[in-house]
Amino acid sequence: MTEFKQIIGRGTRVEEDFGKLYFTIIDFRNVTDKFADKDFDGAPVCIKEASQDEEISEQTIDEGEKESQIDPVTGEEIAFPEYRINDEFGNIAVAEPEPQKPEKREKVRIAGVDVHILSERKEFLDASGKLMTTSLKEYCKTGILTSYRSLDNFLQTWNDAEKKRAIIEELENQGIIFEELKDEIKSDLDIFDLICHIAWDAPALTRRERAENVRKRNCWTKYGDNARKVLEALLDKYAESGIENIESMKILTTPPLDKLGTSTELVGLFGGKPQYLAAIRELEAEIYRAA
């Protein structure tokens, strides 16, 4: 039980800088059923309420009723460490019980055995912290409909947003996992189409289909040749990786845009940064024009 908790504790660590917002458990023994067991964590060793301003002391730690806990395997009482204050800074020292020599376990080796997934389930924490089992699609649909009452409401918010990335981040903060959702539904869908399809069953276009529709309309005749090359490259970037990436100024330093000139030079083709950002908004409007 202790080892299982430790393993899951490591898995549940969030690393936003590396995009780790969820994790997968490969379960051979149905141990994940323990998550739904109300007695999984057992009775508390000691309960002592202390106010924020109360000074920690030996009395604070020792007070409270301690309930003995029985190891369900051995039937013996569990020996917990003894805690004590050991210096003037209030640091706590732990006196560990005598370690017991672990029993030698027989190693089991399996060769030439095919492994198959017998079943799969996804579990999420709802707003109240309760574990719920549902499909990823239904979970994300519920989260989207919580934020947007109707398709019209979402379309208005999306079209009015100066940066679409802000809407995507808002939904991600509410627990919508777009990367995993793309893998389950269709990886080349625009996040806009993914949201509309999941929440309101709207027909969806791939990013490349949307990019091709923009090209067919030939809507950049007012720009010079070099500025049009920049917009064409940005449209390719959108088709490759999504709308949120072309909204960043850093996109101008990536291939093939970096071959067309420096960021300052490329922005200058449009007459300055305000005009460049206005061109990006026009590009986004054309991408979602059918909406």
Side-chain angles (χ1 to χ4, degrees), residues 58-79:
E58 286 190 51
Q59 184 180 9
T60 305
I61 297 172
D62 291 338
E63 278 185 5
E65 294 183 7
K66 296 183 179 180
E67 296 184 13
S68 61
Q69 294 200 18
I70 305 300
D71 189 319
V73 177
T74 64
E76 298 177 356
E77 184 176 342
I78 300 173

mmCIF file of all heavy atoms in Angstrom, residues 58-79:
data_model
loop_
_atom_site.group_PDB
_atom_site.id
_atom_site.type_symbol
_atom_site.label_atom_id
_atom_site.label_comp_id
_atom_site.label_asym_id
_atom_site.label_seq_id
_atom_site.Cartn_x
_atom_site.Cartn_y
_atom_site.Cartn_z
ATOM 1 N N GLU A 58 6.350 20.707 21.297
ATOM 2 C CA GLU A 58 6.181 19.278 21.502
ATOM 3 C C GLU A 58 4.750 18.960 21.907
ATOM 4 O O GLU A 58 4.177 17.955 21.516
ATOM 5 C CB GLU A 58 7.151 18.769 22.575
ATOM 6 C CG GLU A 58 8.587 18.693 22.090
ATOM 7 C CD GLU A 58 9.460 17.953 23.083
ATOM 8 O OE1 GLU A 58 9.082 16.843 23.479
ATOM 9 O OE2 GLU A 58 10.501 18.487 23.468
ATOM 10 N N GLN A 59 4.163 19.860 22.697
ATOM 11 C CA GLN A 59 2.798 19.641 23.149
ATOM 12 C C GLN A 59 1.843 19.667 21.952
ATOM 13 O O GLN A 59 0.904 18.881 21.869
ATOM 14 C CB GLN A 59 2.397 20.717 24.153
ATOM 15 C CG GLN A 59 0.992 20.492 24.734
ATOM 16 C CD GLN A 59 0.624 21.566 25.725
ATOM 17 O OE1 GLN A 59 1.328 22.565 25.862
ATOM 18 N NE2 GLN A 59 -0.471 21.376 26.422
ATOM 19 N N THR A 60 2.089 20.592 20.991
ATOM 20 C CA THR A 60 1.242 20.681 19.811
ATOM 21 C C THR A 60 1.256 19.378 19.036
ATOM 22 O O THR A 60 0.240 18.895 18.557
ATOM 23 C CB THR A 60 1.728 21.815 18.885
ATOM 24 O OG1 THR A 60 1.782 23.024 19.616
ATOM 25 C CG2 THR A 60 0.799 21.975 17.693
ATOM 26 N N ILE A 61 2.441 18.767 18.925
ATOM 27 C CA ILE A 61 2.575 17.538 18.154
ATOM 28 C C ILE A 61 2.023 16.347 18.904
ATOM 29 O O ILE A 61 1.360 15.483 18.344
ATOM 30 C CB ILE A 61 4.062 17.296 17.798
ATOM 31 C CG1 ILE A 61 4.556 18.449 16.915
ATOM 32 C CG2 ILE A 61 4.255 15.960 17.116
ATOM 33 C CD1 ILE A 61 6.033 18.423 16.665
ATOM 34 N N ASP A 62 2.232 16.308 20.215
ATOM 35 C CA ASP A 62 1.863 15.116 20.978
ATOM 36 C C ASP A 62 0.394 15.075 21.355
ATOM 37 O O ASP A 62 -0.152 14.020 21.618
ATOM 38 C CB ASP A 62 2.710 15.025 22.263
ATOM 39 C CG ASP A 62 4.166 14.721 21.927
ATOM 40 O OD1 ASP A 62 4.391 14.194 20.824
ATOM 41 O OD2 ASP A 62 5.039 15.020 22.755
ATOM 42 N N GLU A 63 -0.258 16.272 21.429
ATOM 43 C CA GLU A 63 -1.654 16.288 21.848
ATOM 44 C C GLU A 63 -2.541 15.611 20.816
ATOM 45 O O GLU A 63 -2.203 15.497 19.648
ATOM 46 C CB GLU A 63 -2.129 17.738 22.042
ATOM 47 C CG GLU A 63 -1.731 18.318 23.386
ATOM 48 C CD GLU A 63 -2.323 19.692 23.568
ATOM 49 O OE1 GLU A 63 -3.098 20.115 22.705
ATOM 50 O OE2 GLU A 63 -2.002 20.333 24.577
ATOM 51 N N GLY A 64 -3.717 15.201 21.258
ATOM 52 C CA GLY A 64 -4.670 14.564 20.363
ATOM 53 C C GLY A 64 -4.690 13.071 20.589
ATOM 54 O O GLY A 64 -3.740 12.479 21.066
ATOM 55 N N GLU A 65 -5.803 12.488 20.241
ATOM 56 C CA GLU A 65 -5.943 11.057 20.439
ATOM 57 C C GLU A 65 -5.302 10.305 19.286
ATOM 58 O O GLU A 65 -5.563 10.571 18.127
ATOM 59 C CB GLU A 65 -7.423 10.693 20.531
ATOM 60 C CG GLU A 65 -8.109 11.273 21.750
ATOM 61 C CD GLU A 65 -9.542 10.811 21.824
ATOM 62 O OE1 GLU A 65 -9.923 9.952 20.998
ATOM 63 O OE2 GLU A 65 -10.275 11.310 22.690
ATOM 64 N N LYS A 66 -4.443 9.377 19.624
ATOM 65 C CA LYS A 66 -3.788 8.570 18.607
ATOM 66 C C LYS A 66 -4.468 7.205 18.554
ATOM 67 O O LYS A 66 -4.549 6.517 19.560
ATOM 68 C CB LYS A 66 -2.300 8.397 18.930
ATOM 69 C CG LYS A 66 -1.510 9.693 18.906
ATOM 70 C CD LYS A 66 -0.044 9.422 19.157
ATOM 71 C CE LYS A 66 0.768 10.703 19.120
ATOM 72 N NZ LYS A 66 2.197 10.461 19.366
ATOM 73 N N GLU A 67 -4.942 6.856 17.390
ATOM 74 C CA GLU A 67 -5.557 5.551 17.217
ATOM 75 C C GLU A 67 -4.512 4.589 16.671
ATOM 76 O O GLU A 67 -3.809 4.898 15.718
ATOM 77 C CB GLU A 67 -6.730 5.645 16.247
ATOM 78 C CG GLU A 67 -7.871 6.507 16.755
ATOM 79 C CD GLU A 67 -9.037 6.484 15.798
ATOM 80 O OE1 GLU A 67 -9.036 5.614 14.897
ATOM 81 O OE2 GLU A 67 -9.940 7.315 15.943
ATOM 82 N N SER A 68 -4.406 3.428 17.288
ATOM 83 C CA SER A 68 -3.472 2.435 16.787
ATOM 84 C C SER A 68 -3.976 1.893 15.463
ATOM 85 O O SER A 68 -5.177 1.758 15.257
ATOM 86 C CB SER A 68 -3.311 1.297 17.797
ATOM 87 O OG SER A 68 -4.558 0.661 17.997
ATOM 88 N N GLN A 69 -3.038 1.605 14.566
ATOM 89 C CA GLN A 69 -3.404 1.063 13.274
ATOM 90 C C GLN A 69 -2.778 -0.305 13.114
ATOM 91 O O GLN A 69 -1.620 -0.516 13.457
ATOM 92 C CB GLN A 69 -2.956 2.003 12.147
ATOM 93 C CG GLN A 69 -3.701 3.324 12.173
ATOM 94 C CD GLN A 69 -3.629 4.024 10.831
ATOM 95 O OE1 GLN A 69 -3.332 3.416 9.818
ATOM 96 N NE2 GLN A 69 -3.889 5.322 10.839
ATOM 97 N N ILE A 70 -3.572 -1.212 12.567
ATOM 98 C CA ILE A 70 -3.137 -2.591 12.405
ATOM 99 C C ILE A 70 -2.780 -2.848 10.953
ATOM 100 O O ILE A 70 -3.527 -2.483 10.034
ATOM 101 C CB ILE A 70 -4.251 -3.570 12.856
ATOM 102 C CG1 ILE A 70 -4.690 -3.257 14.289
ATOM 103 C CG2 ILE A 70 -3.769 -5.012 12.720
ATOM 104 C CD1 ILE A 70 -3.576 -3.360 15.309
ATOM 105 N N ASP A 71 -1.609 -3.438 10.745
ATOM 106 C CA ASP A 71 -1.189 -3.830 9.410
ATOM 107 C C ASP A 71 -2.105 -4.959 8.942
ATOM 108 O O ASP A 71 -2.178 -6.018 9.576
ATOM 109 C CB ASP A 71 0.262 -4.313 9.440
ATOM 110 C CG ASP A 71 0.815 -4.529 8.045
ATOM 111 O OD1 ASP A 71 0.073 -5.057 7.196
ATOM 112 O OD2 ASP A 71 1.986 -4.179 7.809
ATOM 113 N N PRO A 72 -2.839 -4.768 7.807
ATOM 114 C CA PRO A 72 -3.786 -5.801 7.368
ATOM 115 C C PRO A 72 -3.109 -7.089 6.915
ATOM 116 O O PRO A 72 -3.738 -8.139 6.844
ATOM 117 C CB PRO A 72 -4.516 -5.121 6.197
ATOM 118 C CG PRO A 72 -3.580 -4.071 5.721
ATOM 119 C CD PRO A 72 -2.841 -3.591 6.926
ATOM 120 N N VAL A 73 -1.800 -7.025 6.611
ATOM 121 C CA VAL A 73 -1.081 -8.208 6.138
ATOM 122 C C VAL A 73 -0.577 -9.035 7.314
ATOM 123 O O VAL A 73 -0.811 -10.242 7.407
ATOM 124 C CB VAL A 73 0.091 -7.808 5.220
ATOM 125 C CG1 VAL A 73 0.883 -9.057 4.806
ATOM 126 C CG2 VAL A 73 -0.425 -7.065 3.998
ATOM 127 N N THR A 74 0.120 -8.358 8.258
ATOM 128 C CA THR A 74 0.729 -9.083 9.379
ATOM 129 C C THR A 74 -0.192 -9.185 10.581
ATOM 130 O O THR A 74 0.007 -10.033 11.460
ATOM 131 C CB THR A 74 2.025 -8.380 9.810
ATOM 132 O OG1 THR A 74 1.704 -7.069 10.314
ATOM 133 C CG2 THR A 74 2.982 -8.244 8.634
ATOM 134 N N GLY A 75 -1.202 -8.288 10.674
ATOM 135 C CA GLY A 75 -2.089 -8.283 11.826
ATOM 136 C C GLY A 75 -1.473 -7.629 13.039
ATOM 137 O O GLY A 75 -2.046 -7.639 14.126
ATOM 138 N N GLU A 76 -0.272 -7.022 12.871
ATOM 139 C CA GLU A 76 0.415 -6.393 13.996
ATOM 140 C C GLU A 76 0.199 -4.884 13.967
ATOM 141 O O GLU A 76 -0.076 -4.282 12.927
ATOM 142 C CB GLU A 76 1.917 -6.707 13.934
ATOM 143 C CG GLU A 76 2.221 -8.204 14.037
ATOM 144 C CD GLU A 76 3.713 -8.472 13.890
ATOM 145 O OE1 GLU A 76 4.460 -7.503 13.643
ATOM 146 O OE2 GLU A 76 4.119 -9.634 14.027
ATOM 147 N N GLU A 77 0.359 -4.247 15.158
ATOM 148 C CA GLU A 77 0.224 -2.810 15.250
ATOM 149 C C GLU A 77 1.397 -2.138 14.541
ATOM 150 O O GLU A 77 2.545 -2.565 14.661
ATOM 151 C CB GLU A 77 0.179 -2.376 16.712
ATOM 152 C CG GLU A 77 -0.054 -0.877 16.873
ATOM 153 C CD GLU A 77 -0.191 -0.470 18.331
ATOM 154 O OE1 GLU A 77 -0.440 -1.364 19.173
ATOM 155 O OE2 GLU A 77 -0.049 0.725 18.613
ATOM 156 N N ILE A 78 1.083 -1.075 13.774
ATOM 157 C CA ILE A 78 2.121 -0.364 13.030
ATOM 158 C C ILE A 78 2.907 0.536 13.969
ATOM 159 O O ILE A 78 2.324 1.285 14.767
ATOM 160 C CB ILE A 78 1.501 0.475 11.900
ATOM 161 C CG1 ILE A 78 0.739 -0.443 10.941
ATOM 162 C CG2 ILE A 78 2.554 1.264 11.153
ATOM 163 C CD1 ILE A 78 -0.056 0.296 9.886
ATOM 164 N N ALA A 79 4.254 0.452 13.894
ATOM 165 C CA ALA A 79 5.110 1.299 14.728
ATOM 166 C C ALA A 79 5.458 2.558 13.958
ATOM 167 O O ALA A 79 6.224 2.526 12.984
ATOM 168 C CB ALA A 79 6.388 0.530 15.099
#
